Amino acid sequence: MCPSSPASKEIRARIIEKFEHLQGETLASSYAQALNIFFDLSLEYESLEDFKSLCVFVPDICLSIPSSLYMMGKKGDLWLHRTTNPRKVFLFPEPISPDSASLSVLRYGDCWAFPIRHTQTGNRILGLLCLHRSLSQEEEAFFIVYASRIAKIIDAKEAASSNQHRLTFINTLIRDIGHNVIVPNMHFKLLFLQMGKQIVQLERKVENLPPFKYGDHGMDPRQEILFGIANLRNQLSIISMQFQQASLFLESLLRREHFEKGNYALLLRPCNFRSQILEPQIERFRPLLLDQGIRVEMDPEVCVDEDIVLEADLGLISQAFANLLSNAVKYTKAVPTPWGTSSKTLHYGWKSVANAFGL
């Protein structure tokens, strides 16, 4: 059975309509008319399957030359995808020999075949355009050009289809992330709050216990328990802070609007620079900096009581400062001091500069 696209009848009708219109309006040659129709309708019909039908209908209708389109399979064999002459289906050697692949025209009896080559790697054949009658020298020259144009458009349409497939996959992935990552994160936040409340309740119960009897050199068991509870609270605070920062970055980077718009979709809101942006990152990286022998000092000229309010995307701007501090951990080098030693120090601070960006 002859392969075809669902819109093949419509495509044929559109070619006939355009061809009749051009014949009445212009004195251009049939070859020029055929190319004009080919380019116009290749834009009108976006799918690759419709384009394959267009490739064989244009020679058949505009130049009265029956044609077929064969495309290369995964194993290097040729498969018939479209034809306007199903009675003359030709079986090609499998695969095409390397010597034949380098030619502009292949001859198989009364079938003239024009290789459709990948535009990036010219030796790779995508398929063959076959004409089912002998061609003149002028017709042969035309179909060499026609086959090259088919190749370029196939490359473009395959790239567009591949990009669309990737975008669809990314959008599906983002929806899955929203359901399977972002939403469970909200549950974890609730668990941290519940754990904090349970620690407070446990602490109060221990404080209300009656005094224990212990020796002169012993330690009140209640104090030991309260000390352990304080350590537990401290560990929970550290874990909770790390989780909050990771969640902030995750939710900001994987925001669905980024992928729908194709760029960062900023969620602007008033943010306190010191308390919400800078100091949380400083505290997060302080242990890592100290492990590398890097002292962390606030610049003495900083007005500590000043907390500048910015209109910013909290997650994205926090990530920018996190990246800076991460680089500081990795790349800070020791410098000589006036006392003849060397040290590694990170100074941080902030100040408000009016009209800094000419605004």
Side-chain angles (χ1 to χ4, degrees):
M1 184 175 180
C2 174
S4 62
S5 70
S8 59
K9 291 183 179 179
E10 178 189 336
I11 295 170
R12 176 180 281 276
R14 288 287 291 127
I15 294 172
I16 293 172
E17 177 188 348
K18 281 185 166 291
F19 185 58
E20 291 176 349
H21 175 75
L22 287 175
Q23 283 187 315
E25 296 292 330
T26 180
L27 298 176
S29 68
S30 297
Y31 302 121
Q33 292 176 1
L35 280 178
N36 286 336
I37 293 171
F38 173 72
F39 288 132
D40 285 349
L41 294 184
S42 68
L43 297 174
E44 185 173 323
Y45 294 96
E46 296 181 356
S47 79
L48 185 58
E49 295 306 307
D50 289 342
F51 177 71
K52 292 175 183 177
S53 298
L54 178 66
C55 291
V56 297
F57 285 154
V58 167
D60 187 61
I61 295 170
C62 301
L63 303 173
S64 301
I65 303 177
S67 60
S68 301
L69 180 68
Y70 293 78
M71 300 301 293
M72 194 72 73
K74 294 182 179 178
K75 297 181 179 180
D77 48 349
L78 288 162
W79 290 81
L80 178 65
H81 279 232
R82 300 289 185 274
T83 185
T84 61
N85 191 5
R87 296 180 181 179
K88 290 189 177 182
V89 175
F90 187 82
L91 298 178
F92 289 92
E94 300 179 6
I96 297 176
S97 67
D99 293 337
S100 299
S102 62
L103 300 175
S104 299
V105 185
L106 308 178
R107 293 289 303 276
Y108 299 97
D110 62 348
C111 176
W112 294 53
F114 296 82
I116 300 169
R117 292 187 172 85
H118 195 280
T119 55
Q120 301 299 323
T121 56
N123 292 329
R124 178 189 160 200
I125 290 183
L126 299 173
L128 292 177
L129 174 70
C130 300
L131 290 308
H132 298 289
R133 72 162 172 79
S134 297
L135 303 178
S136 67
Q137 188 174 358
E138 186 179 17
E139 288 172 333
E140 181 181 333
F142 168 78
F143 281 109
I144 290 173
V145 174
Y146 186 69
S148 70
R149 299 301 181 268
I150 290 175
K152 289 183 178 181
I153 295 175
I154 285 178
D155 277 349
K157 289 186 179 293
E158 285 185 341
S161 176
S162 178
N163 290 338
Q164 184 59 48
H165 177 74
R166 290 189 179 97
L167 289 173
T168 301
F169 171 75
I170 290 171
N171 286 331
T172 302
L173 184 62
I174 292 303
R175 285 195 295 270
D176 290 342
I177 288 172
H179 290 302
N180 301 316
V181 178
I182 307 300
V183 173
N185 259 11
M186 298 171 65
H187 178 63
F188 283 126
K189 291 177 183 178
L190 179 61
L191 289 178
F192 281 124
L193 289 174
Q194 291 174 346
M195 289 176 64
K197 290 180 180 179
Q198 290 174 2
I199 289 174
V200 170
Q201 292 173 359
L202 178 61
E203 187 176 38
R204 289 174 180 172
K205 288 181 180 180
V206 173
E207 289 173 344
N208 292 330
L209 289 174
F212 285 85
K213 294 181 179 180
Y214 53 91
D216 295 338
H217 302 290
M219 182 177 181
D220 188 343
R222 291 182 305 173
Q223 296 302 317
E224 291 184 19
I225 296 173
L226 290 173
F227 182 74
I229 291 174
N231 284 336
L232 184 62
R233 182 190 291 111
N234 184 56
Q235 291 296 320
L236 177 62
S237 176
I238 293 172
I239 295 171
S240 178
M241 181 184 69
Q242 294 290 344
F243 170 78
Q244 289 174 6
Q245 290 299 313
S247 297
L248 178 63
F249 294 166
L250 191 66
E251 293 172 11
S252 299
L253 287 174
L254 298 179
R255 193 175 297 150
R256 187 171 177 177
E257 290 79 5
H258 299 331
F259 300 90
E260 291 175 345
K261 295 181 179 180
N263 51 44
Y264 282 119
L266 300 182
L267 186 61
L268 300 178
R269 58 181 180 181
C271 303
N272 293 319
F273 177 73
R274 176 178 61 82
S275 58
Q276 289 185 279
I277 298 172
L278 182 59
E279 287 189 344
Q281 300 309 316
I282 292 289
E283 295 308 313
R284 179 186 171 207
F285 280 90
R286 188 184 294 275
L288 298 175
L289 291 163
L290 294 177
D291 285 344
Q292 296 298 317
I294 303 171
R295 292 188 302 161
V296 181
E297 298 180 354
M298 183 185 293
D299 192 284
E301 296 183 2
V302 168
C303 180
V304 179
D305 296 331
E306 182 183 19
D307 198 350
I308 301 169
V309 177
L310 301 177
E311 191 81 8
D313 187 304
L314 180 59
L316 294 179
I317 195 170
S318 296
Q319 187 193 19
F321 280 96
N323 290 339
L324 287 173
L325 292 171
S326 177
N327 287 336
V329 172
K330 297 175 184 176
Y331 305 118
T332 299
K333 295 182 179 180
V335 296
T337 67
W339 302 276
T341 61
S342 62
S343 69
K344 294 192 286 187
T345 307
L346 183 144
H347 289 275
Y348 72 95
W350 60 92
K351 65 178 179 178
S352 178
V353 179
N355 300 319
F357 300 101
L359 301 176

